[in-house]
Amino acid sequence: MQKRICDQRKWYEKKARSNKRSAKIWMGLGVIAYAVGFSFIVVRIADPAMPGWPTEPLIVIAASLIGWTQIKKFNELASAYTLTAHEIGLTADLITDANSDEAFSSAVNEAELAFSRERTQWVARQNN
């Protein structure tokens, strides 16, 4: 049981880090695209004679990048995985500290409930 809990905790921690990193990357790309688009607009205002730059498509790309981050819910997933990893860590302590069969059984049930809660939340997110 201890190995299952340890493996699960590592998996949830890894997924939390991955989603947090993805959120930063996609949001950063969106912000960069907006900044470049804004600078194109400023240059166009400063020198209207300058040949046109692809400002509109760049703004569309920036909005799409930000929208992608919202659709994928990277931040929400990172928070959910972090919480589950934390709950699993707490149940690991309960199992380690269990000094009777009843305490051990209760701790195992708590661990399984933590896995089950996250699975239920995951299914609910998929349906939204």
Side-chain angles (χ1 to χ4, degrees):
M1 185 66 192
Q2 193 70 24
K3 183 167 173 35
R4 171 170 159 68
I5 289 175
C6 208
D7 288 345
Q8 286 290 307
R9 186 175 189 187
K10 285 179 186 175
W11 187 87
Y12 280 105
E13 288 171 343
K14 179 181 169 190
K15 294 297 281 182
R17 282 191 305 273
S18 171
N19 278 284
K20 194 178 292 187
R21 183 175 52 254
S22 293
K24 286 180 182 179
I25 289 170
W26 286 102
M27 189 62 75
L29 289 173
V31 168
I32 289 169
Y34 270 122
V36 171
F38 181 73
S39 67
F40 285 176
I41 291 170
V42 169
V43 169
R44 186 180 286 174
I45 291 170
D47 186 7
M50 192 146 204
W53 289 346
T55 305
E56 292 81 10
L58 192 57
I59 297 300
V60 169
I61 289 170
S64 299
L65 290 169
I66 300 295
W68 180 253
T69 349
Q70 296 303 313
I71 289 170
K72 294 301 282 184
K73 300 179 181 178
F74 292 120
N75 286 324
E76 182 181 326
L77 287 170
S79 296
Y81 288 140
T82 299
L83 176 63
T84 303
H86 178 71
E87 287 180 346
I88 292 170
L90 294 175
T91 59
D93 291 342
L94 289 175
I95 289 174
T96 303
D97 296 342
N99 54 8
S100 69
D101 288 344
E102 289 174 359
F104 180 77
S105 178
S106 177
V108 169
N109 285 336
E110 284 295 321
E112 293 301 328
L113 282 173
F115 301 147
S116 176
R117 272 191 303 272
E118 204 295 321
R119 170 76 178 139
T120 302
Q121 290 173 358
W122 182 82
V123 170
R125 281 190 301 271
Q126 298 303 312
N127 293 329
N128 287 335

